[in-house]
Amino acid sequence: MTRHFIDLTDAGGDAVAAMLNDALDRKVARKAWPKGKADADAPLADRVLAMIFEKNSTRTRVSFDMAMRQLGGSAIILEAGSTQLGRGETVADTARVLSRMVDAIMIRTDDHAKIEELAHHASVPVINGLTDLSHPCQIMADLLTIVERGHALPGLQLAWLGDGNNVLNSLIEAAGLMKFSIRVGGPAGYEPDAGFVERARAAGAEVLFTQDPREAVAGAQAVVTDTWVSMGQAGGDVHIAAMQPYQVDAALMATAAKDAVFMHCLPAHRGEEVTDEVMDGPQSVIWDEAENRIHAQKSVLRWVFGQI
Ligand code: CP
Ligand code: NVA
């Protein structure tokens, strides 16, 4: 069976835990090495990943490319607009062709149904590099960052501030799998996907919604936010005005647990969802979080190839 990583549930909690352990070990083993040097065992030697981008990206593009290099393989970047996909070749035919040419496919797209269709017609692993619905690779890096800072995932209390977007959906999915609690502070009408919330609650995770940012953050060990307007979202003045009370500033951070970390998947809109003071402050782990995209995705890649 071909392993796809469309959402965290494709792997499940035990595999997510195993991937995090693998990522921690590999990160330590290559500490201070030149970034492009392959790991000693080069576990994906001769493997090629094709990456399709239908939306902008800095971190996802570079981290997958570097992950493949460090695993001993290589990557090809395809800007959808300059491929035949951008001229109307079907997703299914693209899946069939790429499956004959490369060993795995990563796609960043808008409609989640497209990645499902790609996976359906691909005979090689398909990895979700973000859709409008979810961003599981980001959450693998976030979990790695939290664990690396000495927080255990089971029982962790995490606060999310702002828009109920793709990153939050995957975070809620992770809460269900890894048994932690999420308190979402955000305006009514901007909630995350109801299906993700239901499944996490059914798995025993606390997922609480409040319009009071302080209630969301009180005692939290991780405070997480993201852009108020995601790629492809309409946004507008009403949307931005609704988000304003949920800006993460130093006063709000001070109400979290003493050892709380501040996280953001980036890119950030400094002065909107977060102040410079918090972004650049002592509790911020955003640069580790960005670097961890490489380490976490190496383990995701190893998992889709059946090595974990
Ligand atoms: N966090 C993240 O996915 O960043 P990019 O949009 O730069 O890939
Ligand atoms: N929620 C953001 C994440 C970007 C990495 C977006 O979809 O634009």
Side-chain angles (χ1 to χ4, degrees):
M1 261 277 282
T2 307
R3 281 187 178 179
H4 301 298
F5 190 78
I6 310 289
D7 280 304
L8 300 168
T9 304
D10 292 326
D14 290 347
V16 166
M19 285 188 256
L20 295 175
N21 284 335
D22 179 67
L24 284 168
D25 290 347
R26 286 188 170 270
K27 182 175 179 180
V28 170
R30 60 169 297 117
K31 201 170 159 21
W33 284 19
K35 296 182 177 65
K37 184 175 155 86
D39 290 350
D41 55 348
L44 295 190
D46 305 328
R47 301 284 194 169
V48 179
L49 172 76
M51 300 192 261
I52 306 172
F53 286 96
E54 293 197 303
K55 287 182 174 186
N56 293 47
S57 168
T58 299
R59 280 144 287 266
T60 302
R61 162 184 326 233
V62 177
S63 58
F64 266 106
D65 197 335
M66 293 306 295
M68 284 306 289
R69 289 178 201 216
Q70 293 185 7
L71 292 170
S74 61
I76 299 171
I77 295 178
L78 299 167
E79 301 291 349
S82 63
T83 66
Q84 299 293 7
L85 188 61
R87 287 184 60 248
E89 185 168 17
T90 66
V91 169
D93 287 351
T94 304
R96 292 178 182 114
V97 170
L98 290 180
S99 296
R100 295 290 187 100
M101 294 187 171
V102 299
D103 299 297
I105 306 167
M106 189 232 75
I107 184 167
R108 167 167 288 196
T109 188
D110 40 27
D111 188 356
H112 198 76
K114 268 195 218 172
I115 192 170
E116 286 173 340
E117 196 187 350
L118 189 80
H120 183 70
H121 294 282
S123 55
V124 297
V126 171
I127 298 172
N128 180 356
L130 179 149
T131 68
D132 288 349
L133 187 67
S134 59
H135 197 1
C137 289
Q138 179 65 51
I139 298 314
M140 289 302 294
D142 289 11
L143 299 182
L144 180 60
T145 309
I146 290 168
V147 169
E148 207 176 41
R149 289 282 163 159
H151 294 292
L153 293 177
L156 179 91
Q157 196 187 318
L158 185 146
W160 173 275
L161 281 306
D163 192 36
N165 65 16
N166 43 8
V167 175
L168 176 57
N169 287 337
S170 292
L171 204 45
I172 288 172
E173 186 182 28
L177 294 175
M178 310 313 283
K179 314 293 175 213
F180 60 89
S181 109
I182 297 197
R183 300 196 175 165
V184 180
Y190 297 87
E191 289 85 6
D193 179 81
F196 278 85
V197 175
E198 260 174 46
R199 288 189 292 275
R201 283 180 175 158
E206 180 201 43
V207 186
L208 179 141
F209 294 97
T210 172
Q211 289 175 34
D212 176 0
R214 286 177 175 266
E215 188 187 355
V217 170
Q221 292 148 312
V223 178
V224 191
T225 190
D226 186 13
T227 180
W228 286 339
V229 182
S230 286
M231 291 182 278
Q233 243 185 335
D237 293 349
V238 174
H239 183 134
I240 297 288
M243 294 294 156
Q244 220 71 54
Y246 304 96
Q247 181 188 69
V248 181
D249 60 15
L252 187 59
M253 249 343 260
T255 65
K258 266 205 173 63
D259 60 348
V261 292
F262 169 74
M263 300 177 66
H264 191 312
C265 67
L266 306 177
H269 299 74
R270 290 170 175 260
E272 291 190 14
E273 72 270 11
V274 59
T275 60
D276 283 335
E277 198 182 355
V278 171
M279 279 276 284
D280 303 324
Q283 287 168 287
S284 173
V285 294
I286 55 175
W287 313 126
D288 289 339
E289 185 182 0
E291 179 190 331
N292 281 339
R293 291 294 302 277
I294 299 178
H295 306 295
Q297 283 156 204
K298 284 167 72 177
S299 299
V300 170
L301 285 159
R302 273 169 43 72
W303 180 79
V304 296
F305 282 109
Q307 295 183 353
I308 292 176

